[in-house]
Amino acid sequence: MVIRVVSIRLKVGPKGQIVIPKVFREAYGIKEGKEVIIEPTERGLVIRAPVDAEKLMEKLRERRKRMKGRGVRAKLGDLRSVDLEDEFDEGVP
């Protein structure tokens, strides 16, 4: 689920902390005690939930099954032009 919001204004606490609103935590699977990833970008900071390793492995297995029999044999050098985040970002908010 992707929530479309123009912007939301949060106050930063004395230790630099912010509270992620419940609607966003629920939508993106961010749970108490779990980690989040903060990435600096040209437009600002991006806060996201880390990728679940089990879900990623299952996606890779499914993709491998779909690709089997197509005669696709990529060489390591061929992967330079592939953006793996785009390849496996199907359905991820």
Side-chain angles (χ1 to χ4, degrees), residues 76-84:
L76 189 55
D78 296 340
L79 295 176
R80 282 183 289 208
S81 64
V82 175
D83 185 343
L84 292 177

Side-chain angles (χ1 to χ4, degrees), residues 2-36:
V2 176
I3 299 173
R4 306 270 183 218
V5 175
V6 174
S7 66
I8 187 167
R9 192 176 298 242
L10 303 171
K11 286 194 177 189
V12 178
K15 294 183 180 180
Q17 298 170 325
I18 61 169
V19 175
I20 301 169
K22 182 178 180 180
V23 65
F24 294 126
R25 293 192 315 265
E26 288 176 349
Y28 294 98
I30 298 172
K31 299 191 187 311
E32 182 180 346
K34 299 294 181 180
E35 296 178 340
V36 295

Side-chain angles (χ1 to χ4, degrees), residues 48-66 83-92:
R48 64 179 179 82
V51 174
D52 181 311
E54 286 299 318
K55 287 181 182 177
L56 177 60
M57 290 305 295
E58 185 58 34
K59 278 187 171 188
L60 289 171
R61 285 185 204 103
E62 289 173 13
R63 184 163 178 90
R64 186 175 186 191
K65 286 178 188 176
R66 287 195 314 259
D83 185 343
L84 292 177
E85 283 190 17
D86 288 341
E87 284 290 314
F88 300 104
D89 203 27
E90 301 167 359
V92 177

